[in-house]
Amino acid sequence: LFAASALTGLAHAGMVDDAVKRGTLRVGMDPTYMPFEMTNKRGEIIGFEVDLLKAMSKAMGVKLELVSTSYDGIIPALLTDKFDMIGSGMTLTQERNLRINFSEPFIVVGQTLLIRKELQGEIKSYKDLNDGKYRITSKIGTTGEMVAKKLIAKAQYHGFDNEQEAVMDVVNGKADAFIYDAPYNVVAVNKAGAGKLVFLEEPFTFEPLAFGLKKGDYDSLNWINNWMHQIRNDGTYERIHAKWFKK
Ligand code: ARG
């Protein structure tokens, strides 16, 4: 029996294999991250990463199920099988990579700042904010928060459950700056900013965003990375990217 299963390759082949057998790929995400995953007026979750995941599940021949999960608890939720994979604009950090595996990155972003209009000229980079008199906001559990605490450690920091509240704190003049991934801030400066925010758009960190998988699942990593290579070269990635990001 042992020899037979070894010959026919019946070894457990990871979450992609499970998803194919189940007919559904379950992806954990916190749909608050414009323009990657967000909820439209009809309550549907849409965005750049959602479209990538739709293409991925189509290639797998399965249905896509998005599992809304707070960002703060998204790694524990993966590790306790609430879903198969994290697809939530997650920065591949070395710290997170000690706990989970990551696919090849699907895009590279970096931290940027939205500052109070009144601070224009006074604050030219994150370094100018490194002073106890300034108050910075971001979202709990994100790299925005980690970078604020590490690179702008002298400033006061306040974390919010979602990005929008953290931006509003600056719009309302309670905080001085919101630190977050560049693509989010590009959208937010026009949406919530309405002339009240200034965008310091030069990213000052290097942040590859990738899909997160449980450790040890190299079969699924192989499938996803080969799929990524395919869509990067057959026009699929370019088409989806052009839909969500202006040149
Ligand atoms: N890239 C940042 C991080 O990994 C922010 C991602 C936030 N994602 C979300 N779906 N709200 O921490």
Side-chain angles (χ1 to χ4, degrees), residues 208-235:
L209 306 187
F211 300 113
L213 283 77
K214 277 196 191 171
K215 275 202 169 187
D217 189 358
Y218 290 97
D219 290 304
S220 300
L221 273 186
N222 177 260
W223 192 93
I224 289 170
N225 288 338
N226 285 332
W227 166 79
M228 199 98 76
H229 184 71
Q230 178 66 32
I231 63 159
R232 279 197 184 276
N233 290 284
D234 71 5

PDB file of all heavy atoms in Angstrom, residues 208-235:
ATOM      1  N   PRO A 208       7.148  44.965  -0.834  1.00  0.00           N
ATOM      2  CA  PRO A 208       6.500  44.053  -1.774  1.00  0.00           C
ATOM      3  C   PRO A 208       5.210  43.522  -1.150  1.00  0.00           C
ATOM      4  O   PRO A 208       5.206  43.122   0.017  1.00  0.00           O
ATOM      5  CB  PRO A 208       7.522  42.919  -1.939  1.00  0.00           C
ATOM      6  CG  PRO A 208       8.664  43.223  -1.038  1.00  0.00           C
ATOM      7  CD  PRO A 208       8.330  44.383  -0.181  1.00  0.00           C
ATOM      8  N   LEU A 209       4.116  43.542  -1.906  1.00  0.00           N
ATOM      9  CA  LEU A 209       2.851  42.955  -1.438  1.00  0.00           C
ATOM     10  C   LEU A 209       2.704  41.572  -2.061  1.00  0.00           C
ATOM     11  O   LEU A 209       2.943  41.396  -3.256  1.00  0.00           O
ATOM     12  CB  LEU A 209       1.649  43.820  -1.835  1.00  0.00           C
ATOM     13  CG  LEU A 209       1.672  45.296  -1.443  1.00  0.00           C
ATOM     14  CD1 LEU A 209       0.318  45.952  -1.769  1.00  0.00           C
ATOM     15  CD2 LEU A 209       2.014  45.498   0.025  1.00  0.00           C
ATOM     16  N   ALA A 210       2.315  40.597  -1.234  1.00  0.00           N
ATOM     17  CA  ALA A 210       2.264  39.213  -1.725  1.00  0.00           C
ATOM     18  C   ALA A 210       1.149  38.444  -1.044  1.00  0.00           C
ATOM     19  O   ALA A 210       0.582  38.894  -0.041  1.00  0.00           O
ATOM     20  CB  ALA A 210       3.612  38.530  -1.474  1.00  0.00           C
ATOM     21  N   PHE A 211       0.832  37.270  -1.587  1.00  0.00           N
ATOM     22  CA  PHE A 211      -0.167  36.394  -0.985  1.00  0.00           C
ATOM     23  C   PHE A 211       0.504  35.591   0.134  1.00  0.00           C
ATOM     24  O   PHE A 211       1.643  35.134  -0.020  1.00  0.00           O
ATOM     25  CB  PHE A 211      -0.765  35.463  -2.039  1.00  0.00           C
ATOM     26  CG  PHE A 211      -1.449  36.203  -3.155  1.00  0.00           C
ATOM     27  CD1 PHE A 211      -0.936  36.185  -4.444  1.00  0.00           C
ATOM     28  CD2 PHE A 211      -2.605  36.950  -2.912  1.00  0.00           C
ATOM     29  CE1 PHE A 211      -1.552  36.887  -5.475  1.00  0.00           C
ATOM     30  CE2 PHE A 211      -3.229  37.657  -3.932  1.00  0.00           C
ATOM     31  CZ  PHE A 211      -2.704  37.621  -5.224  1.00  0.00           C
ATOM     32  N   GLY A 212      -0.231  35.416   1.237  1.00  0.00           N
ATOM     33  CA  GLY A 212       0.320  34.722   2.402  1.00  0.00           C
ATOM     34  C   GLY A 212      -0.250  33.319   2.540  1.00  0.00           C
ATOM     35  O   GLY A 212      -1.468  33.124   2.479  1.00  0.00           O
ATOM     36  N   LEU A 213       0.643  32.351   2.716  1.00  0.00           N
ATOM     37  CA  LEU A 213       0.242  30.941   2.845  1.00  0.00           C
ATOM     38  C   LEU A 213       0.824  30.355   4.122  1.00  0.00           C
ATOM     39  O   LEU A 213       1.800  30.872   4.646  1.00  0.00           O
ATOM     40  CB  LEU A 213       0.775  30.122   1.664  1.00  0.00           C
ATOM     41  CG  LEU A 213       0.088  30.216   0.311  1.00  0.00           C
ATOM     42  CD1 LEU A 213       0.460  31.492  -0.392  1.00  0.00           C
ATOM     43  CD2 LEU A 213       0.527  29.036  -0.545  1.00  0.00           C
ATOM     44  N   LYS A 214       0.249  29.245   4.535  1.00  0.00           N
ATOM     45  CA  LYS A 214       0.813  28.547   5.692  1.00  0.00           C
ATOM     46  C   LYS A 214       2.219  28.051   5.359  1.00  0.00           C
ATOM     47  O   LYS A 214       2.520  27.709   4.219  1.00  0.00           O
ATOM     48  CB  LYS A 214      -0.057  27.353   6.038  1.00  0.00           C
ATOM     49  CG  LYS A 214      -1.247  27.702   6.885  1.00  0.00           C
ATOM     50  CD  LYS A 214      -1.759  26.397   7.473  1.00  0.00           C
ATOM     51  CE  LYS A 214      -3.087  26.568   8.121  1.00  0.00           C
ATOM     52  NZ  LYS A 214      -3.644  25.271   8.490  1.00  0.00           N
ATOM     53  N   LYS A 215       3.036  27.966   6.384  1.00  0.00           N
ATOM     54  CA  LYS A 215       4.390  27.433   6.201  1.00  0.00           C
ATOM     55  C   LYS A 215       4.347  25.988   5.710  1.00  0.00           C
ATOM     56  O   LYS A 215       3.439  25.237   6.055  1.00  0.00           O
ATOM     57  CB  LYS A 215       5.129  27.491   7.522  1.00  0.00           C
ATOM     58  CG  LYS A 215       5.780  28.817   7.783  1.00  0.00           C
ATOM     59  CD  LYS A 215       6.890  28.643   8.790  1.00  0.00           C
ATOM     60  CE  LYS A 215       7.727  29.894   8.884  1.00  0.00           C
ATOM     61  NZ  LYS A 215       8.903  29.654   9.730  1.00  0.00           N
ATOM     62  N   GLY A 216       5.320  25.635   4.920  1.00  0.00           N
ATOM     63  CA  GLY A 216       5.482  24.246   4.488  1.00  0.00           C
ATOM     64  C   GLY A 216       4.729  23.881   3.224  1.00  0.00           C
ATOM     65  O   GLY A 216       4.976  22.823   2.645  1.00  0.00           O
ATOM     66  N   ASP A 217       3.809  24.765   2.775  1.00  0.00           N
ATOM     67  CA  ASP A 217       2.961  24.412   1.629  1.00  0.00           C
ATOM     68  C   ASP A 217       3.620  24.823   0.311  1.00  0.00           C
ATOM     69  O   ASP A 217       3.173  25.749  -0.368  1.00  0.00           O
ATOM     70  CB  ASP A 217       1.587  25.077   1.799  1.00  0.00           C
ATOM     71  CG  ASP A 217       0.576  24.595   0.767  1.00  0.00           C
ATOM     72  OD1 ASP A 217       0.954  23.779  -0.109  1.00  0.00           O
ATOM     73  OD2 ASP A 217      -0.585  25.044   0.824  1.00  0.00           O
ATOM     74  N   TYR A 218       4.671  24.121  -0.045  1.00  0.00           N
ATOM     75  CA  TYR A 218       5.432  24.485  -1.251  1.00  0.00           C
ATOM     76  C   TYR A 218       4.717  24.120  -2.545  1.00  0.00           C
ATOM     77  O   TYR A 218       4.952  24.736  -3.580  1.00  0.00           O
ATOM     78  CB  TYR A 218       6.838  23.874  -1.188  1.00  0.00           C
ATOM     79  CG  TYR A 218       7.665  24.557  -0.131  1.00  0.00           C
ATOM     80  CD1 TYR A 218       7.789  24.007   1.141  1.00  0.00           C
ATOM     81  CD2 TYR A 218       8.244  25.798  -0.373  1.00  0.00           C
ATOM     82  CE1 TYR A 218       8.499  24.674   2.138  1.00  0.00           C
ATOM     83  CE2 TYR A 218       8.951  26.461   0.602  1.00  0.00           C
ATOM     84  CZ  TYR A 218       9.076  25.897   1.860  1.00  0.00           C
ATOM     85  OH  TYR A 218       9.766  26.567   2.829  1.00  0.00           O
ATOM     86  N   ASP A 219       3.811  23.143  -2.480  1.00  0.00           N
ATOM     87  CA  ASP A 219       3.039  22.800  -3.687  1.00  0.00           C
ATOM     88  C   ASP A 219       2.169  23.982  -4.114  1.00  0.00           C
ATOM     89  O   ASP A 219       2.090  24.314  -5.290  1.00  0.00           O
ATOM     90  CB  ASP A 219       2.163  21.571  -3.420  1.00  0.00           C
ATOM     91  CG  ASP A 219       2.998  20.315  -3.283  1.00  0.00           C
ATOM     92  OD1 ASP A 219       3.756  20.015  -4.218  1.00  0.00           O
ATOM     93  OD2 ASP A 219       2.918  19.665  -2.228  1.00  0.00           O
ATOM     94  N   SER A 220       1.527  24.605  -3.139  1.00  0.00           N
ATOM     95  CA  SER A 220       0.665  25.742  -3.468  1.00  0.00           C
ATOM     96  C   SER A 220       1.484  26.947  -3.899  1.00  0.00           C
ATOM     97  O   SER A 220       1.094  27.672  -4.812  1.00  0.00           O
ATOM     98  CB  SER A 220      -0.226  26.084  -2.272  1.00  0.00           C
ATOM     99  OG  SER A 220      -1.022  24.959  -1.954  1.00  0.00           O
ATOM    100  N   LEU A 221       2.618  27.168  -3.237  1.00  0.00           N
ATOM    101  CA  LEU A 221       3.505  28.262  -3.656  1.00  0.00           C
ATOM    102  C   LEU A 221       3.929  28.071  -5.108  1.00  0.00           C
ATOM    103  O   LEU A 221       3.955  29.018  -5.899  1.00  0.00           O
ATOM    104  CB  LEU A 221       4.762  28.305  -2.789  1.00  0.00           C
ATOM    105  CG  LEU A 221       4.725  29.096  -1.501  1.00  0.00           C
ATOM    106  CD1 LEU A 221       6.120  29.113  -0.884  1.00  0.00           C
ATOM    107  CD2 LEU A 221       4.253  30.527  -1.738  1.00  0.00           C
ATOM    108  N   ASN A 222       4.237  26.829  -5.471  1.00  0.00           N
ATOM    109  CA  ASN A 222       4.655  26.522  -6.842  1.00  0.00           C
ATOM    110  C   ASN A 222       3.559  26.874  -7.827  1.00  0.00           C
ATOM    111  O   ASN A 222       3.794  27.516  -8.865  1.00  0.00           O
ATOM    112  CB  ASN A 222       5.029  25.038  -6.931  1.00  0.00           C
ATOM    113  CG  ASN A 222       5.413  24.620  -8.333  1.00  0.00           C
ATOM    114  OD1 ASN A 222       4.608  24.031  -9.059  1.00  0.00           O
ATOM    115  ND2 ASN A 222       6.629  24.937  -8.750  1.00  0.00           N
ATOM    116  N   TRP A 223       2.309  26.494  -7.497  1.00  0.00           N
ATOM    117  CA  TRP A 223       1.188  26.775  -8.410  1.00  0.00           C
ATOM    118  C   TRP A 223       0.977  28.286  -8.543  1.00  0.00           C
ATOM    119  O   TRP A 223       0.868  28.818  -9.651  1.00  0.00           O
ATOM    120  CB  TRP A 223      -0.102  26.085  -7.911  1.00  0.00           C
ATOM    121  CG  TRP A 223      -1.176  26.111  -8.956  1.00  0.00           C
ATOM    122  CD1 TRP A 223      -1.447  25.149  -9.879  1.00  0.00           C
ATOM    123  CD2 TRP A 223      -2.093  27.193  -9.206  1.00  0.00           C
ATOM    124  NE1 TRP A 223      -2.480  25.562 -10.694  1.00  0.00           N
ATOM    125  CE2 TRP A 223      -2.895  26.802 -10.316  1.00  0.00           C
ATOM    126  CE3 TRP A 223      -2.309  28.438  -8.614  1.00  0.00           C
ATOM    127  CZ2 TRP A 223      -3.907  27.624 -10.828  1.00  0.00           C
ATOM    128  CZ3 TRP A 223      -3.303  29.263  -9.132  1.00  0.00           C
ATOM    129  CH2 TRP A 223      -4.091  28.846 -10.231  1.00  0.00           C
ATOM    130  N   ILE A 224       0.964  28.970  -7.412  1.00  0.00           N
ATOM    131  CA  ILE A 224       0.676  30.412  -7.430  1.00  0.00           C
ATOM    132  C   ILE A 224       1.788  31.183  -8.142  1.00  0.00           C
ATOM    133  O   ILE A 224       1.517  32.069  -8.961  1.00  0.00           O
ATOM    134  CB  ILE A 224       0.446  30.938  -6.000  1.00  0.00           C
ATOM    135  CG1 ILE A 224      -0.896  30.392  -5.484  1.00  0.00           C
ATOM    136  CG2 ILE A 224       0.451  32.463  -5.952  1.00  0.00           C
ATOM    137  CD1 ILE A 224      -1.136  30.616  -4.030  1.00  0.00           C
ATOM    138  N   ASN A 225       3.025  30.848  -7.860  1.00  0.00           N
ATOM    139  CA  ASN A 225       4.128  31.572  -8.505  1.00  0.00           C
ATOM    140  C   ASN A 225       4.180  31.309 -10.015  1.00  0.00           C
ATOM    141  O   ASN A 225       4.472  32.212 -10.797  1.00  0.00           O
ATOM    142  CB  ASN A 225       5.463  31.226  -7.841  1.00  0.00           C
ATOM    143  CG  ASN A 225       5.576  31.850  -6.466  1.00  0.00           C
ATOM    144  OD1 ASN A 225       4.887  32.833  -6.164  1.00  0.00           O
ATOM    145  ND2 ASN A 225       6.429  31.294  -5.626  1.00  0.00           N
ATOM    146  N   ASN A 226       3.865  30.100 -10.421  1.00  0.00           N
ATOM    147  CA  ASN A 226       3.819  29.820 -11.861  1.00  0.00           C
ATOM    148  C   ASN A 226       2.656  30.538 -12.533  1.00  0.00           C
ATOM    149  O   ASN A 226       2.783  31.051 -13.654  1.00  0.00           O
ATOM    150  CB  ASN A 226       3.715  28.306 -12.107  1.00  0.00           C
ATOM    151  CG  ASN A 226       5.050  27.622 -11.854  1.00  0.00           C
ATOM    152  OD1 ASN A 226       6.104  28.235 -12.001  1.00  0.00           O
ATOM    153  ND2 ASN A 226       4.990  26.358 -11.466  1.00  0.00           N
ATOM    154  N   TRP A 227       1.522  30.626 -11.818  1.00  0.00           N
ATOM    155  CA  TRP A 227       0.369  31.382 -12.338  1.00  0.00           C
ATOM    156  C   TRP A 227       0.735  32.860 -12.478  1.00  0.00           C
ATOM    157  O   TRP A 227       0.428  33.508 -13.470  1.00  0.00           O
ATOM    158  CB  TRP A 227      -0.839  31.196 -11.400  1.00  0.00           C
ATOM    159  CG  TRP A 227      -1.936  32.165 -11.667  1.00  0.00           C
ATOM    160  CD1 TRP A 227      -2.868  32.109 -12.666  1.00  0.00           C
ATOM    161  CD2 TRP A 227      -2.205  33.376 -10.945  1.00  0.00           C
ATOM    162  NE1 TRP A 227      -3.691  33.203 -12.598  1.00  0.00           N
ATOM    163  CE2 TRP A 227      -3.310  33.989 -11.554  1.00  0.00           C
ATOM    164  CE3 TRP A 227      -1.615  33.990  -9.825  1.00  0.00           C
ATOM    165  CZ2 TRP A 227      -3.845  35.193 -11.085  1.00  0.00           C
ATOM    166  CZ3 TRP A 227      -2.137  35.193  -9.363  1.00  0.00           C
ATOM    167  CH2 TRP A 227      -3.238  35.769  -9.990  1.00  0.00           C
ATOM    168  N   MET A 228       1.426  33.394 -11.465  1.00  0.00           N
ATOM    169  CA  MET A 228       1.848  34.796 -11.485  1.00  0.00           C
ATOM    170  C   MET A 228       2.748  35.064 -12.691  1.00  0.00           C
ATOM    171  O   MET A 228       2.609  36.082 -13.373  1.00  0.00           O
ATOM    172  CB  MET A 228       2.616  35.104 -10.193  1.00  0.00           C
ATOM    173  CG  MET A 228       2.706  36.563  -9.888  1.00  0.00           C
ATOM    174  SD  MET A 228       1.448  37.038  -8.707  1.00  0.00           S
ATOM    175  CE  MET A 228       2.168  36.372  -7.226  1.00  0.00           C
ATOM    176  N   HIS A 229       3.675  34.157 -12.939  1.00  0.00           N
ATOM    177  CA  HIS A 229       4.580  34.291 -14.081  1.00  0.00           C
ATOM    178  C   HIS A 229       3.776  34.312 -15.386  1.00  0.00           C
ATOM    179  O   HIS A 229       4.039  35.107 -16.292  1.00  0.00           O
ATOM    180  CB  HIS A 229       5.579  33.128 -14.077  1.00  0.00           C
ATOM    181  CG  HIS A 229       6.600  33.218 -15.145  1.00  0.00           C
ATOM    182  ND1 HIS A 229       7.615  34.144 -15.132  1.00  0.00           N
ATOM    183  CD2 HIS A 229       6.758  32.515 -16.283  1.00  0.00           C
ATOM    184  CE1 HIS A 229       8.345  34.010 -16.207  1.00  0.00           C
ATOM    185  NE2 HIS A 229       7.855  33.028 -16.934  1.00  0.00           N
ATOM    186  N   GLN A 230       2.775  33.441 -15.453  1.00  0.00           N
ATOM    187  CA  GLN A 230       1.905  33.374 -16.639  1.00  0.00           C
ATOM    188  C   GLN A 230       1.160  34.693 -16.867  1.00  0.00           C
ATOM    189  O   GLN A 230       1.214  35.269 -17.955  1.00  0.00           O
ATOM    190  CB  GLN A 230       0.906  32.214 -16.468  1.00  0.00           C
ATOM    191  CG  GLN A 230      -0.086  32.064 -17.616  1.00  0.00           C
ATOM    192  CD  GLN A 230       0.584  31.659 -18.914  1.00  0.00           C
ATOM    193  OE1 GLN A 230       1.586  30.944 -18.905  1.00  0.00           O
ATOM    194  NE2 GLN A 230       0.044  32.120 -20.029  1.00  0.00           N
ATOM    195  N   ILE A 231       0.472  35.199 -15.828  1.00  0.00           N
ATOM    196  CA  ILE A 231      -0.347  36.410 -16.041  1.00  0.00           C
ATOM    197  C   ILE A 231       0.509  37.652 -16.263  1.00  0.00           C
ATOM    198  O   ILE A 231       0.074  38.608 -16.886  1.00  0.00           O
ATOM    199  CB  ILE A 231      -1.354  36.663 -14.892  1.00  0.00           C
ATOM    200  CG1 ILE A 231      -0.650  36.930 -13.558  1.00  0.00           C
ATOM    201  CG2 ILE A 231      -2.362  35.513 -14.779  1.00  0.00           C
ATOM    202  CD1 ILE A 231      -1.540  37.656 -12.563  1.00  0.00           C
ATOM    203  N   ARG A 232       1.726  37.633 -15.766  1.00  0.00           N
ATOM    204  CA  ARG A 232       2.620  38.778 -16.013  1.00  0.00           C
ATOM    205  C   ARG A 232       3.074  38.816 -17.475  1.00  0.00           C
ATOM    206  O   ARG A 232       3.542  39.837 -17.953  1.00  0.00           O
ATOM    207  CB  ARG A 232       3.848  38.712 -15.101  1.00  0.00           C
ATOM    208  CG  ARG A 232       3.577  39.233 -13.702  1.00  0.00           C
ATOM    209  CD  ARG A 232       4.884  39.535 -13.010  1.00  0.00           C
ATOM    210  NE  ARG A 232       4.696  39.957 -11.620  1.00  0.00           N
ATOM    211  CZ  ARG A 232       4.410  41.210 -11.254  1.00  0.00           C
ATOM    212  NH1 ARG A 232       4.270  42.153 -12.165  1.00  0.00           N
ATOM    213  NH2 ARG A 232       4.269  41.508  -9.983  1.00  0.00           N
ATOM    214  N   ASN A 233       2.959  37.690 -18.150  1.00  0.00           N
ATOM    215  CA  ASN A 233       3.461  37.625 -19.525  1.00  0.00           C
ATOM    216  C   ASN A 233       2.395  37.420 -20.586  1.00  0.00           C
ATOM    217  O   ASN A 233       2.702  37.495 -21.782  1.00  0.00           O
ATOM    218  CB  ASN A 233       4.536  36.535 -19.625  1.00  0.00           C
ATOM    219  CG  ASN A 233       5.800  36.948 -18.892  1.00  0.00           C
ATOM    220  OD1 ASN A 233       6.571  37.771 -19.377  1.00  0.00           O
ATOM    221  ND2 ASN A 233       5.989  36.428 -17.693  1.00  0.00           N
ATOM    222  N   ASP A 234       1.146  37.154 -20.176  1.00  0.00           N
ATOM    223  CA  ASP A 234       0.099  36.945 -21.195  1.00  0.00           C
ATOM    224  C   ASP A 234      -0.890  38.110 -21.285  1.00  0.00           C
ATOM    225  O   ASP A 234      -1.919  38.005 -21.947  1.00  0.00           O
ATOM    226  CB  ASP A 234      -0.630  35.609 -20.964  1.00  0.00           C
ATOM    227  CG  ASP A 234      -1.540  35.615 -19.740  1.00  0.00           C
ATOM    228  OD1 ASP A 234      -1.704  36.682 -19.097  1.00  0.00           O
ATOM    229  OD2 ASP A 234      -2.107  34.552 -19.431  1.00  0.00           O
ATOM    230  N   GLY A 235      -0.561  39.226 -20.595  1.00  0.00           N
ATOM    231  CA  GLY A 235      -1.398  40.415 -20.695  1.00  0.00           C
ATOM    232  C   GLY A 235      -2.456  40.546 -19.605  1.00  0.00           C
ATOM    233  O   GLY A 235      -3.034  41.630 -19.431  1.00  0.00           O
TER     234      GLY A 235
END
